[in-house]
Amino acid sequence: MIRAIIIDDEPKSIQSLEWDLKFFSEQIHVVGTFDNVIDAIRKIEGLIPDVVFLDIEMPEMDGFQFLEYFKDRKFEVVFVTAYAEHAIHAIKERALDYLLKPIEKEDLTLAIKKISQNKKRRNLSEVFQDEKLVFQGTRLKINSDDKMVFLDPADIVYCESDGSYSRIITENNDVVYISKKLKYLEEMLPSELFYRIHNSYLINLQKVSLFEKNSSKVVLVSGISLPVSRLKKSGFLSRF
């Protein structure tokens, strides 16, 4: 659950945003609201927010001055303002998003999606900060702070890149996240079984159902269709 704080000097704006966020109650929970910036500065750390919805033009200090108190902030910032001219400054302040009042539901939906994705990445970083991948017998062991996951490479359908992380998708549609780049998995998994068909995908060759020549896409046993890059196509076909 995303923990959110709203800071705006206009109570009606706070109420309006709270109402809009109720449509996303399964994803986000408002843990505090402030119409006074000084109060927010005093209490924010105790509330441990994942995101702060922040107005810009306020009487005591503006939103940018507020952020100066949190140089190493651990929360995301979404500016909510009636003025479009501050957008460049907001980017420099590493704002996750910039919403104009009145807020469009589609814009708010996209903002919450970004917040959720970033929260997931932060959580993965914390969970897997001491992660090691080793083979124990014929199984791949993913060792993290709070658990160990054992995977038989034969049960892996494909692996997908997600920036500095990777996702491992199994035959049972289980997804295992690891804080390793796809290249690490490519080197770790047996080359006779796996092939990198794209910068973003490493597949188990035994899970291939068909190859679509015209579109250069491979269909796996799970039904998912993945692209084979032009540079990888000949190497892929040579494995069959």
Side-chain angles (χ1 to χ4, degrees), residues 199-239:
N199 282 341
S200 298
Y201 301 106
L202 174 69
I203 67 168
N204 184 337
L205 294 170
Q206 293 186 349
K207 306 300 182 183
V208 174
S209 290
L210 63 91
F211 176 67
E212 300 171 345
K213 294 181 179 179
N214 292 336
S215 61
S216 289
K217 288 186 177 181
V218 62
V219 179
L220 304 179
V221 291
S222 60
I224 190 169
S225 176
L226 301 176
V228 179
S229 73
R230 181 174 57 84
L231 294 176
K232 296 287 186 177
K233 184 177 179 179
S234 61
F236 168 72
L237 292 175
S238 71
R239 301 295 295 271

Side-chain angles (χ1 to χ4, degrees), residues 135-220:
F135 269 100
Q136 184 166 321
T138 60
R139 295 190 300 170
L140 184 67
K141 182 177 76 170
I142 303 173
N143 187 28
S144 70
D145 290 338
D146 60 347
K147 63 182 177 180
M148 286 188 291
V149 178
F150 296 90
L151 291 176
D152 186 336
D155 293 333
I156 297 173
V157 178
Y158 70 100
C159 307
E160 181 178 8
S161 173
D162 186 9
S164 297
Y165 301 94
S166 296
R167 290 189 287 269
I168 299 173
I169 295 85
T170 71
E171 268 190 330
N172 297 325
N173 288 322
D174 292 330
V175 180
V176 179
Y177 289 88
I178 64 169
S179 61
K180 303 291 183 183
K181 291 188 176 182
L182 197 58
K183 181 175 177 58
Y184 183 91
L185 282 172
E186 183 181 12
E187 295 172 350
M188 196 75 181
L189 292 168
S191 59
E192 66 273 13
L193 196 61
F194 289 86
Y195 186 76
R196 183 86 172 262
I197 60 168
H198 189 277
N199 282 341
S200 298
Y201 301 106
L202 174 69
I203 67 168
N204 184 337
L205 294 170
Q206 293 186 349
K207 306 300 182 183
V208 174
S209 290
L210 63 91
F211 176 67
E212 300 171 345
K213 294 181 179 179
N214 292 336
S215 61
S216 289
K217 288 186 177 181
V218 62
V219 179
L220 304 179

